[in-house]
Coordinates of all heavy atoms in Angstrom, one line a residue:
M1 N 100.3 83.4 77.5 CA 99.6 84.2 78.4 C 98.8 83.3 79.4 O 98.1 82.4 79.0 CB 98.5 85.1 77.6 CG 99.1 86.4 77.2 SD 99.5 87.4 78.6 CE 99.3 89.0 77.9
R2 N 99.0 83.6 80.7 CA 98.3 82.9 81.7 C 96.9 83.6 82.0 O 96.9 84.8 81.9 CB 99.1 82.8 83.0 CG 100.1 81.7 82.9 CD 101.0 81.8 84.1 NE 101.7 83.0 84.1 CZ 102.7 83.3 85.0 NH1 103.0 82.4 85.9 NH2 103.3 84.4 85.0
K3 N 95.9 82.8 82.3 CA 94.6 83.4 82.6 C 94.5 83.5 84.1 O 94.9 84.5 84.7 CB 93.5 82.6 82.0 CG 93.5 82.9 80.5 CD 92.8 81.8 79.7 CE 93.1 82.0 78.2 NZ 93.0 80.7 77.6
T4 N 93.9 82.5 84.7 CA 93.9 82.5 86.2 C 95.0 81.6 86.6 O 94.9 80.4 86.6 CB 92.6 82.0 86.7 OG1 91.6 82.8 86.2 CG2 92.5 82.1 88.2
A5 N 96.1 82.2 87.0 CA 97.3 81.4 87.3 C 97.9 81.8 88.7 O 97.8 82.9 89.1 CB 98.4 81.6 86.3
T6 N 98.5 80.8 89.3 CA 99.2 81.1 90.6 C 100.6 81.6 90.3 O 101.3 80.9 89.5 CB 99.2 79.9 91.5 OG1 97.9 79.3 91.5 CG2 99.6 80.2 92.9
E7 N 101.0 82.6 91.0 CA 102.4 83.0 90.8 C 103.0 82.9 92.2 O 102.4 82.9 93.2 CB 102.5 84.4 90.3 CG 102.0 84.5 88.9 CD 101.9 86.0 88.4 OE1 102.6 86.8 89.1 OE2 101.2 86.3 87.5
K8 N 104.3 83.0 92.2 CA 105.0 83.0 93.5 C 104.7 84.2 94.3 O 104.5 85.3 93.7 CB 106.6 83.0 93.2 CG 107.1 81.6 93.0 CD 108.6 81.6 92.7 CE 109.0 80.2 92.1 NZ 110.4 80.3 91.6
G9 N 104.6 84.1 95.6 CA 104.2 85.2 96.4 C 102.7 85.4 96.5 O 102.3 86.4 97.1
G10 N 101.9 84.5 96.1 CA 100.5 84.6 96.3 C 99.8 85.6 95.4 O 98.9 86.3 95.9
T11 N 100.3 85.8 94.2 CA 99.6 86.8 93.3 C 98.9 86.0 92.3 O 99.4 85.1 91.6 CB 100.7 87.7 92.6 OG1 101.4 88.4 93.6 CG2 99.9 88.7 91.8
Y12 N 97.6 86.4 92.1 CA 96.8 85.7 91.1 C 96.4 86.7 90.0 O 96.4 87.9 90.3 CB 95.5 85.2 91.7 CG 95.7 84.2 92.8 CD1 96.1 84.6 94.1 CD2 95.7 82.8 92.5 CE1 96.3 83.7 95.1 CE2 95.9 81.9 93.5 CZ 96.2 82.3 94.8 OH 96.5 81.4 95.8
T13 N 96.1 86.2 88.8 CA 95.7 87.1 87.7 C 94.3 86.7 87.3 O 94.0 85.5 87.1 CB 96.6 87.0 86.5 OG1 98.0 87.3 87.0 CG2 96.2 88.0 85.4
V14 N 93.4 87.7 87.2 CA 92.0 87.4 86.8 C 91.8 88.3 85.6 O 92.0 89.5 85.6 CB 91.0 87.8 87.9 CG1 89.6 87.7 87.4 CG2 91.2 86.8 89.1
D15 N 91.3 87.6 84.5 CA 90.9 88.3 83.3 C 89.4 88.6 83.3 O 88.6 87.8 83.3 CB 91.2 87.4 82.1 CG 91.0 88.1 80.8 OD1 90.4 89.1 80.7 OD2 91.6 87.6 79.8
L16 N 89.1 89.9 83.4 CA 87.8 90.4 83.5 C 86.9 90.0 82.3 O 85.7 89.9 82.4 CB 87.7 91.9 83.7 CG 88.2 92.4 85.1 CD1 88.2 93.9 85.1 CD2 87.4 91.8 86.2
T17 N 87.5 89.8 81.1 CA 86.7 89.4 80.0 C 86.2 88.0 80.1 O 85.3 87.6 79.4 CB 87.5 89.5 78.7 OG1 88.6 88.6 78.7 CG2 88.1 90.9 78.5
K18 N 86.7 87.2 81.1 CA 86.2 85.9 81.3 C 85.1 85.8 82.3 O 84.7 84.7 82.7 CB 87.4 85.0 81.7 CG 88.6 85.0 80.8 CD 88.2 84.2 79.5 CE 89.5 84.0 78.6 NZ 90.0 85.2 78.0
I19 N 84.8 86.9 82.9 CA 83.8 87.0 84.0 C 82.4 87.4 83.5 O 82.3 88.4 82.8 CB 84.3 87.9 85.1 CG1 85.6 87.4 85.7 CG2 83.3 88.1 86.2 CD1 86.3 88.4 86.6
D20 N 81.4 86.7 83.9 CA 80.1 87.1 83.5 C 79.5 88.0 84.5 O 80.0 88.1 85.7 CB 79.2 85.8 83.4 CG 79.6 84.9 82.3 OD1 80.0 85.4 81.3 OD2 79.5 83.7 82.4
G21 N 78.4 88.7 84.1 CA 77.7 89.5 85.1 C 78.3 90.9 85.3 O 78.8 91.5 84.4
D22 N 78.2 91.4 86.6 CA 78.5 92.8 86.9 C 80.0 93.0 87.2 O 80.4 94.1 87.6 CB 77.7 93.3 88.0 CG 77.9 92.5 89.3 OD1 78.8 91.6 89.3 OD2 77.2 92.8 90.3
G23 N 80.8 92.0 87.0 CA 82.2 92.2 87.2 C 82.7 91.7 88.5 O 83.9 91.7 88.8
A24 N 81.8 91.2 89.3 CA 82.2 90.6 90.6 C 82.8 89.2 90.4 O 82.4 88.5 89.4 CB 81.0 90.5 91.6
F25 N 83.8 88.8 91.2 CA 84.4 87.5 91.0 C 84.9 87.0 92.4 O 84.9 87.8 93.4 CB 85.6 87.6 90.1 CG 86.7 88.5 90.6 CD1 87.8 88.0 91.3 CD2 86.6 89.9 90.3 CE1 88.7 88.9 91.8 CE2 87.6 90.8 90.8 CZ 88.7 90.2 91.5
Q26 N 85.2 85.8 92.4 CA 85.7 85.2 93.7 C 87.2 85.2 93.7 O 87.9 85.0 92.7 CB 85.2 83.7 93.7 CG 83.7 83.6 94.0 CD 83.4 82.1 94.3 OE1 83.7 81.3 93.5 NE2 82.8 81.8 95.4
C27 N 87.7 85.5 94.9 CA 89.1 85.4 95.2 C 89.6 84.0 94.8 O 89.0 83.0 95.3 CB 89.4 85.7 96.6 SG 91.1 85.3 97.1
P28 N 90.6 83.9 93.9 CA 91.0 82.6 93.5 C 91.5 81.7 94.6 O 91.5 80.5 94.5 CB 92.2 82.9 92.5 CG 92.0 84.3 92.1 CD 91.3 85.0 93.3
K29 N 91.9 82.3 95.7 CA 92.4 81.5 96.8 C 91.3 81.1 97.8 O 91.1 80.0 98.2 CB 93.5 82.2 97.5 CG 94.2 81.3 98.6 CD 95.5 81.9 99.1 CE 96.1 81.0 100.1 NZ 97.3 81.6 100.7
C30 N 90.6 82.2 98.4 CA 89.7 81.9 99.5 C 88.2 82.0 99.1 O 87.4 81.6 99.9 CB 90.0 82.8 100.6 SG 89.5 84.5 100.3
G31 N 87.9 82.4 97.9 CA 86.6 82.4 97.4 C 85.7 83.6 97.9 O 84.5 83.7 97.7
A32 N 86.4 84.6 98.5 CA 85.7 85.8 98.9 C 85.1 86.5 97.6 O 85.8 86.6 96.6 CB 86.6 86.8 99.6
I33 N 83.9 87.0 97.7 CA 83.3 87.7 96.6 C 83.9 89.1 96.5 O 83.7 89.9 97.5 CB 81.8 87.8 96.7 CG1 81.2 86.4 96.8 CG2 81.2 88.6 95.5 CD1 81.4 85.5 95.5
I34 N 84.5 89.4 95.4 CA 85.1 90.8 95.2 C 84.3 91.5 94.2 O 84.3 91.0 93.0 CB 86.6 90.6 94.9 CG1 87.4 90.0 96.1 CG2 87.2 92.0 94.4 CD1 88.8 89.7 95.8
S35 N 83.7 92.5 94.6 CA 82.8 93.3 93.7 C 83.4 94.7 93.4 O 83.7 95.4 94.3 CB 81.4 93.4 94.3 OG 80.7 94.4 93.5
P36 N 83.4 95.1 92.1 CA 83.9 96.4 91.8 C 83.0 97.5 92.4 O 83.5 98.6 92.6 CB 84.0 96.5 90.3 CG 83.0 95.4 89.9 CD 83.1 94.3 90.9
E37 N 81.8 97.1 92.7 CA 80.9 98.1 93.3 C 81.2 98.4 94.8 O 80.7 99.3 95.4 CB 79.4 97.6 93.2 CG 79.0 97.2 91.8 CD 78.9 98.3 90.8 OE1 78.3 99.3 91.2 OE2 79.5 98.2 89.7
D38 N 81.9 97.4 95.4 CA 82.2 97.5 96.8 C 83.3 98.4 97.1 O 84.5 98.1 96.8 CB 82.5 96.1 97.3 CG 82.7 96.1 98.8 OD1 82.6 97.1 99.5 OD2 83.1 95.0 99.4
E39 N 83.0 99.6 97.7 CA 84.1 100.6 97.9 C 84.4 100.7 99.4 O 85.1 101.6 99.8 CB 83.7 101.9 97.4 CG 83.7 101.9 95.8 CD 83.1 103.2 95.2 OE1 82.7 104.1 96.0 OE2 83.2 103.3 94.0
T40 N 84.0 99.7 100.2 CA 84.2 99.8 101.6 C 85.6 99.4 102.0 O 86.1 99.6 103.1 CB 83.2 98.9 102.4 OG1 83.4 97.5 102.0 CG2 81.8 99.3 102.1
E41 N 86.3 98.6 101.1 CA 87.6 98.1 101.4 C 87.6 97.1 102.5 O 88.6 96.8 103.1 CB 88.6 99.2 101.6 CG 88.8 100.0 100.4 CD 90.2 100.7 100.4 OE1 90.9 100.8 101.4 OE2 90.6 101.1 99.3
E42 N 86.4 96.5 102.8 CA 86.3 95.5 103.9 C 86.8 94.1 103.3 O 87.4 93.3 104.0 CB 84.9 95.3 104.4 CG 84.6 96.4 105.4 CD 83.1 96.3 105.9 OE1 82.5 95.2 105.7 OE2 82.6 97.3 106.3
V43 N 86.5 93.9 102.0 CA 86.8 92.6 101.4 C 88.2 92.7 100.7 O 89.0 91.8 100.7 CB 85.7 92.2 100.4 CG1 86.1 90.8 99.8 CG2 84.4 92.1 101.1
Y44 N 88.4 93.8 100.1 CA 89.7 94.0 99.4 C 90.2 95.4 99.4 O 89.4 96.3 99.7 CB 89.5 93.6 97.9 CG 88.6 94.5 97.1 CD1 89.2 95.6 96.4 CD2 87.2 94.3 97.0 CE1 88.4 96.5 95.7 CE2 86.4 95.2 96.3 CZ 87.0 96.2 95.7 OH 86.2 97.1 95.0
A45 N 91.4 95.6 99.1 CA 92.0 97.0 99.0 C 92.7 97.1 97.7 O 93.3 96.1 97.2 CB 93.0 97.2 100.2
I46 N 92.6 98.3 97.1 CA 93.3 98.5 95.9 C 94.8 98.8 96.2 O 95.1 99.7 97.0 CB 92.7 99.6 95.1 CG1 91.3 99.2 94.6 CG2 93.5 100.0 93.9 CD1 90.4 100.3 94.0
V47 N 95.7 98.1 95.5 CA 97.1 98.2 95.8 C 97.7 99.1 94.7 O 98.6 99.9 95.0 CB 97.8 96.8 95.8 CG1 99.3 97.0 96.0 CG2 97.2 96.0 96.9
E48 N 97.3 98.9 93.4 CA 98.0 99.5 92.3 C 97.0 99.7 91.2 O 96.2 98.7 90.9 CB 99.2 98.8 91.9 CG 100.1 99.5 91.0 CD 101.3 98.7 90.5 OE1 101.5 97.6 91.0 OE2 101.9 99.1 89.5
T49 N 97.1 100.8 90.5 CA 96.3 100.9 89.3 C 97.2 101.3 88.1 O 98.2 102.1 88.3 CB 95.2 102.0 89.4 OG1 95.8 103.2 89.8 CG2 94.1 101.6 90.4
K50 N 96.9 100.8 86.9 CA 97.7 101.2 85.8 C 96.7 101.8 84.8 O 95.7 101.3 84.4 CB 98.3 100.0 85.1 CG 99.6 99.6 85.8 CD 100.4 98.5 85.0 CE 101.5 98.0 85.8 NZ 102.1 96.8 85.3
V51 N 97.0 103.1 84.3 CA 96.2 103.8 83.4 C 96.9 104.1 82.2 O 98.1 104.5 82.2 CB 95.7 105.1 84.1 CG1 94.8 105.9 83.2 CG2 94.9 104.8 85.4
K52 N 96.2 103.8 81.0 CA 96.8 104.1 79.7 C 95.8 105.0 79.0 O 94.6 104.6 78.8 CB 97.1 102.8 79.0 CG 98.2 103.0 77.9 CD 98.3 101.7 77.1 CE 99.1 100.6 77.9 NZ 99.2 99.4 77.1
K53 N 96.2 106.1 78.5 CA 95.3 107.0 77.8 C 94.0 107.3 78.5 O 92.9 107.1 78.0 CB 94.9 106.5 76.4 CG 96.1 106.4 75.4 CD 95.7 105.8 74.1 CE 96.9 105.5 73.2 NZ 96.5 104.6 72.1
D54 N 94.1 107.6 79.8 CA 93.0 107.9 80.7 C 92.0 106.7 80.9 O 91.0 106.9 81.4 CB 92.1 109.1 80.1 CG 92.9 110.4 80.2 OD1 93.8 110.5 81.1 OD2 92.7 111.3 79.4
E55 N 92.5 105.5 80.5 CA 91.6 104.4 80.7 C 92.4 103.4 81.6 O 93.5 103.1 81.4 CB 91.2 103.7 79.4 CG 90.1 104.4 78.7 CD 89.7 103.7 77.4 OE1 89.8 102.4 77.4 OE2 89.1 104.3 76.5
L56 N 91.6 102.8 82.5 CA 92.2 101.8 83.4 C 92.5 100.6 82.7 O 91.6 100.0 82.0 CB 91.1 101.6 84.5 CG 91.6 100.7 85.7 CD1 92.7 101.4 86.5 CD2 90.4 100.5 86.6
T57 N 93.7 100.1 82.7 CA 94.1 98.9 82.0 C 94.4 97.7 82.9 O 94.2 96.6 82.6 CB 95.3 99.1 81.1 OG1 96.4 99.6 81.9 CG2 95.0 100.1 80.0
E58 N 94.8 98.1 84.1 CA 95.2 97.0 85.0 C 95.0 97.5 86.5 O 95.3 98.7 86.8 CB 96.6 96.6 84.8 CG 96.9 95.2 85.3 CD 98.4 94.8 84.9 OE1 98.7 94.7 83.7 OE2 99.2 94.6 85.8
L59 N 94.6 96.6 87.3 CA 94.3 96.9 88.7 C 94.8 95.8 89.6 O 94.6 94.6 89.3 CB 92.8 97.1 88.9 CG 92.2 97.7 90.1 CD1 92.6 99.1 90.3 CD2 90.7 97.6 90.0
T60 N 95.5 96.2 90.6 CA 96.0 95.1 91.5 C 95.3 95.3 92.9 O 95.3 96.4 93.4 CB 97.5 95.2 91.7 OG1 98.2 95.1 90.4 CG2 98.0 94.1 92.6
L61 N 94.7 94.3 93.3 CA 93.9 94.3 94.6 C 94.6 93.4 95.6 O 95.3 92.4 95.2 CB 92.5 93.8 94.4 CG 91.7 94.4 93.3 CD1 90.4 93.6 93.2 CD2 91.4 95.8 93.5
K62 N 94.3 93.6 96.8 CA 94.7 92.7 97.9 C 93.5 92.2 98.6 O 92.6 93.0 99.0 CB 95.6 93.3 98.9 CG 96.3 92.3 99.8 CD 97.2 93.0 100.8 CE 96.4 93.0 102.1 NZ 97.1 93.6 103.2
C63 N 93.3 90.9 98.6 CA 92.2 90.3 99.3 C 92.4 90.4 100.8 O 93.5 89.9 101.3 CB 92.0 88.8 98.9 SG 90.8 88.0 99.8
N64 N 91.5 91.0 101.5 CA 91.7 91.2 102.9 C 91.4 89.9 103.7 O 91.7 89.8 104.9 CB 90.8 92.3 103.4 CG 91.4 93.7 103.0 OD1 92.6 93.8 102.7 ND2 90.5 94.7 103.0
Q65 N 90.7 89.0 103.1 CA 90.4 87.7 103.7 C 91.7 86.8 103.9 O 91.9 86.2 104.9 CB 89.3 86.9 103.0 CG 88.1 87.8 102.6 CD 87.2 88.0 103.9 OE1 86.9 87.1 104.6 NE2 86.8 89.3 104.0
C66 N 92.4 86.7 102.8 CA 93.5 85.7 102.8 C 94.9 86.4 102.5 O 95.9 85.8 102.6 CB 93.3 84.6 101.8 SG 93.2 85.2 100.1
G67 N 94.8 87.7 102.1 CA 96.1 88.4 101.9 C 96.7 88.2 100.5 O 97.8 88.7 100.2
S68 N 96.0 87.5 99.6 CA 96.5 87.3 98.3 C 96.4 88.6 97.5 O 95.5 89.4 97.7 CB 95.7 86.2 97.5 OG 95.8 85.0 98.1
K69 N 97.4 88.8 96.6 CA 97.3 89.9 95.6 C 96.6 89.3 94.4 O 96.9 88.2 93.9 CB 98.6 90.4 95.3 CG 99.1 91.3 96.4 CD 100.4 92.0 96.0 CE 100.9 92.9 97.2 NZ 102.2 93.5 96.8
I70 N 95.7 90.1 93.8 CA 95.0 89.7 92.6 C 95.1 90.8 91.6 O 94.8 92.0 91.8 CB 93.5 89.5 92.9 CG1 93.3 88.5 94.1 CG2 92.7 89.1 91.7 CD1 92.0 88.6 94.7
R71 N 95.7 90.5 90.4 CA 95.9 91.4 89.3 C 94.7 91.2 88.4 O 94.5 90.2 87.8 CB 97.2 91.2 88.7 CG 97.6 92.3 87.7 CD 98.8 91.9 86.9 NE 100.0 91.6 87.6 CZ 100.7 90.5 87.4 NH1 100.5 89.7 86.4 NH2 101.8 90.3 88.2
L72 N 94.0 92.3 88.1 CA 92.9 92.3 87.2 C 93.3 92.8 85.9 O 93.9 93.9 85.8 CB 91.7 93.1 87.7 CG 91.1 92.7 89.0 CD1 89.9 93.6 89.3 CD2 90.6 91.3 88.9
T73 N 93.1 92.1 84.8 CA 93.3 92.5 83.5 C 92.1 92.4 82.6 O 91.1 91.9 83.1 CB 94.5 91.7 82.8 OG1 94.0 90.3 82.7 CG2 95.7 91.7 83.6
G74 N 92.1 92.9 81.4 CA 91.0 92.8 80.5 C 89.9 93.8 80.7 O 88.8 93.5 80.3
F75 N 90.3 95.0 81.2 CA 89.3 96.0 81.3 C 88.8 96.5 79.9 O 89.6 96.6 79.0 CB 89.8 97.3 82.0 CG 90.0 97.1 83.5 CD1 91.2 96.6 84.0 CD2 88.9 97.3 84.3 CE1 91.4 96.5 85.3 CE2 89.1 97.1 85.7 CZ 90.3 96.6 86.2
L76 N 87.5 96.7 79.8 CA 86.9 97.1 78.5 C 86.5 98.6 78.6 O 86.1 99.0 79.6 CB 85.7 96.3 78.2 CG 85.9 94.8 78.0 CD1 84.5 94.1 77.9 CD2 86.7 94.5 76.8
S77 N 86.7 99.3 77.5 CA 86.2 100.6 77.5 C 84.7 100.6 77.4 O 84.1 99.6 77.0 CB 86.7 101.4 76.3 OG 86.2 100.9 75.1
P78 N 83.9 101.6 77.8 CA 82.5 101.6 77.8 C 81.9 101.2 76.4 O 80.9 100.4 76.4 CB 82.1 103.0 78.1 CG 83.2 103.5 78.9 CD 84.5 102.9 78.3
S79 N 82.4 101.6 75.3 CA 81.9 101.2 74.0 C 82.1 99.7 73.8 O 81.2 99.1 73.3 CB 82.5 102.1 72.9 OG 83.9 101.9 72.9
E80 N 83.2 99.2 74.1 CA 83.5 97.8 73.9 C 82.6 97.0 74.8 O 82.2 95.9 74.4 CB 85.0 97.5 74.2 CG 85.9 97.9 73.1 CD 87.4 97.6 73.5 OE1 87.8 98.2 74.6 OE2 88.1 96.9 72.8
E81 N 82.4 97.5 76.0 CA 81.5 96.7 76.9 C 80.1 96.6 76.4 O 79.5 95.6 76.5 CB 81.5 97.5 78.3 CG 81.1 96.6 79.4 CD 81.3 97.3 80.8 OE1 81.7 98.4 80.8 OE2 80.9 96.6 81.7
A82 N 79.6 97.7 75.8 CA 78.2 97.7 75.2 C 78.1 96.7 74.1 O 77.1 96.0 74.0 CB 77.9 99.1 74.7
R83 N 79.2 96.5 73.3 CA 79.2 95.6 72.2 C 79.3 94.1 72.8 O 78.8 93.2 72.2 CB 80.4 95.9 71.3 CG 80.0 95.8 69.9 CD 81.1 96.1 68.9 NE 82.1 97.0 69.5 CZ 83.4 96.9 69.3 NH1 83.9 95.9 68.6 NH2 84.3 97.7 69.8
H84 N 79.9 94.0 73.9 CA 80.2 92.7 74.5 C 78.9 92.1 75.0 O 78.8 90.9 75.1 CB 81.1 92.9 75.7 CG 81.7 91.7 76.2 ND1 82.5 90.8 75.5 CD2 81.6 91.1 77.4 CE1 82.9 89.8 76.2 NE2 82.3 89.9 77.4
K85 N 77.8 92.9 75.3 CA 76.6 92.4 76.0 C 75.6 91.9 75.0 O 75.8 91.7 73.8 CB 76.0 93.5 76.8 CG 76.6 93.5 78.2 CD 76.1 94.7 79.0 CE 77.0 94.8 80.3 NZ 76.7 96.1 80.9
Ligands
ZN1 ZN1 91.2 85.8 99.3

């Protein structure tokens, strides 16, 4: 399993369980701050979402600064998140 790895075509994978704080992270390529709270789509756009049993399991974003695709994995359910803190 790769964590933050470069793939062909400029796709990066970010594991949210490895990120501290409110879930914001830097674009692996250009360092733009990508925050899940930011819904303006100025910094990033959502390309694809994967949902399993009504829970978000994977999200693919596109960084609008550099055009990289970033796949987010490691989403926690609310109960797991509470235990995580
Ligand atoms: Zn970027």
Side-chain angles (χ1 to χ4, degrees):
M1 270 297 203
R2 282 174 295 187
K3 286 157 193 154
T4 305
T6 313
E7 294 174 20
K8 279 178 190 166
T11 303
Y12 299 83
T13 302
V14 172
D15 186 342
L16 290 175
T17 63
K18 304 287 190 291
I19 295 168
D20 293 326
D22 61 2
F25 62 94
Q26 286 188 304
C27 170
K29 185 171 185 186
C30 72
I33 302 294
I34 294 175
S35 167
E37 309 291 314
D38 181 4
E39 292 175 354
T40 63
E41 297 205 342
E42 279 176 22
V43 181
Y44 68 90
I46 294 171
V47 177
E48 193 185 346
T49 56
K50 279 187 191 169
V51 177
K52 204 186 281 181
K53 293 180 194 164
D54 293 333
E55 282 186 23
L56 189 62
T57 58
E58 204 176 295
L59 190 62
T60 304
L61 309 174
K62 194 184 96 179
C63 174
N64 287 338
Q65 308 286 313
C66 66
S68 294
K69 282 188 180 173
I70 304 162
R71 191 190 303 135
L72 298 183
T73 62
F75 286 95
L76 297 173
S77 70
S79 57
E80 281 176 305
E81 198 171 2
R83 223 176 334 138
H84 193 62
K85 277 172 187 168

